[in-house]
Amino acid sequence: MPEGDTVFRAARKLDEALAGHEVTRFEVRVPRSATVDLRGETVREVVPRGKHLLMRIGTQTLHSHLKMEGRWHVYRPGQKWRAPAFQARAIVGTRPANAVGFELAMVEVLPTAEEDRVVRHLGPDPLSADWDAAQAVANVAADERAIHVALLDQRNVAGFGNEYANELLFVRGIRPTALAKEVDVAGLIDTGVRMIRANRDRQGRTFTGDNRPGKQTWVYGRGGKPCRRCGTLIEGSELGARATSERIVFWCPVCQP
């Protein structure tokens, strides 16, 4: 599942492959930006912002969001794609490498000077150079909703997705339904930052320190299985700001009282 660390790694890989090179092929296969042609321009950099990816080309930015299924692949010229062509939403080619974005839920081209329009709403990003811990804590602590919902709201803090929210709350011993204003938000955010920064440079995401398949999480995806700490069966339910945004939550009824 793409989360802040996934987007960070994707941006780094794309930047290493494309930055400084002239665009030789450019396709955006969505109506809004389908006529844009940036061939001849130079890829300046690729940067992440929360779960958003910003590819800056000349004076323009190719903005994409991975959502649940999206991913970017990098190929050598002539190399066969590892996903069906009909799933490609964006293609940026240079002489040394080609980048293809598959199943991107959101993709558009806009002037780099107007990037704020698509990322202005985001809260502080723990993987950015301008991370503001105090502001993130203040945002979450002021949220009137359940802490799980508050953590997932990208306006409060950018980059934490459902897997992080579940794992973070378990490690801190907090029930997902506890109100944000009633928990130690500062400690929670500090732990979350350390988690996502540790995973930023790993090949595979882990919360337990064990990279073996099936061993990476404490509670996420483990409904009905014994808690790794106390042996109590992990419980699961759904929780969200509204019915259309509900996410599956997992918790240990003993370790998260």
Side-chain angles (χ1 to χ4, degrees):
M1 178 183 298
E3 304 211 24
D5 55 351
T6 307
V7 177
F8 182 94
R9 287 191 296 274
R12 181 169 55 191
K13 183 176 182 179
L14 290 169
D15 187 75
E16 291 173 350
L18 304 177
H21 298 291
E22 180 182 322
V23 175
T24 57
R25 180 181 181 183
F26 188 84
E27 296 180 35
V28 178
R29 298 177 177 179
V30 297
R32 184 174 182 178
S33 297
T35 61
V36 177
D37 185 359
L38 297 183
R39 287 177 297 174
E41 300 288 348
T42 299
V43 179
R44 294 189 290 115
E45 60 182 346
V46 185
V47 299
R49 182 71 174 87
K51 297 185 180 185
H52 297 252
L53 195 149
L54 305 169
M55 185 183 296
R56 293 165 179 161
I57 306 172
T59 62
Q60 303 294 303
T61 294
L62 175 61
H63 164 236
S64 61
H65 195 299
L66 305 185
K67 292 290 186 178
M68 296 291 289
E69 304 296 337
R71 66 263 187 216
W72 278 92
H73 292 178
V74 174
Y75 299 99
R76 298 185 305 276
Q79 184 180 4
K80 184 178 180 181
W81 292 358
R82 299 187 303 275
F86 72 85
Q87 293 180 352
R89 297 290 178 269
I91 305 168
V92 180
T94 65
R95 292 191 184 280
N98 298 316
V100 186
F102 295 98
E103 295 188 288
L104 302 174
M106 181 188 303
V107 57
E108 64 176 320
V109 178
L110 71 161
T112 300
E114 298 177 14
E115 281 180 1
D116 200 42
R117 172 169 62 81
V118 293
V119 296
R120 179 178 53 231
H121 66 287
L122 297 174
D125 180 352
L127 297 181
S128 70
D130 61 353
W131 164 244
D132 188 338
Q135 186 60 60
V137 170
N139 291 348
V140 175
D143 201 307
E144 296 290 328
R145 299 169 297 178
I147 186 60
H148 187 274
V149 176
L151 281 175
L152 290 184
D153 193 328
Q154 301 297 293
R155 296 170 298 180
N156 290 335
V157 56
F160 294 139
N162 197 38
E163 188 171 1
Y164 270 96
N166 278 278
E167 293 294 291
L168 178 52
L169 292 173
F170 172 81
V171 170
R172 296 295 303 187
I174 300 170
R175 189 69 64 95
T177 51
L179 296 180
K181 61 184 178 181
E182 296 177 350
V183 307
D184 176 12
V185 175
L188 187 66
I189 294 298
D190 178 68
T191 301
V193 171
R194 288 186 285 118
M195 275 185 174
I196 199 167
R197 288 181 179 175
N199 279 321
R200 173 184 59 192
D201 299 319
R202 290 181 173 134
Q203 288 298 315
R205 183 185 302 145
T206 180
F207 298 94
T208 61
D210 191 334
N211 278 313
R212 290 177 296 173
K215 302 290 186 179
Q216 301 99 325
T217 63
W218 293 102
V219 292
Y220 184 78
R222 300 192 65 246
K225 296 180 180 179
C227 174
R228 299 192 194 280
R229 282 183 178 168
C230 72
T232 304
L233 296 185
I234 300 297
E235 296 187 10
S237 184
E238 293 185 350
L239 185 65
R242 54 190 182 278
T244 56
S245 64
E246 286 188 340
R247 298 290 183 268
I248 299 176
V249 295
F250 301 93
W251 72 94
C252 172
V254 172
C255 296
Q256 295 169 262

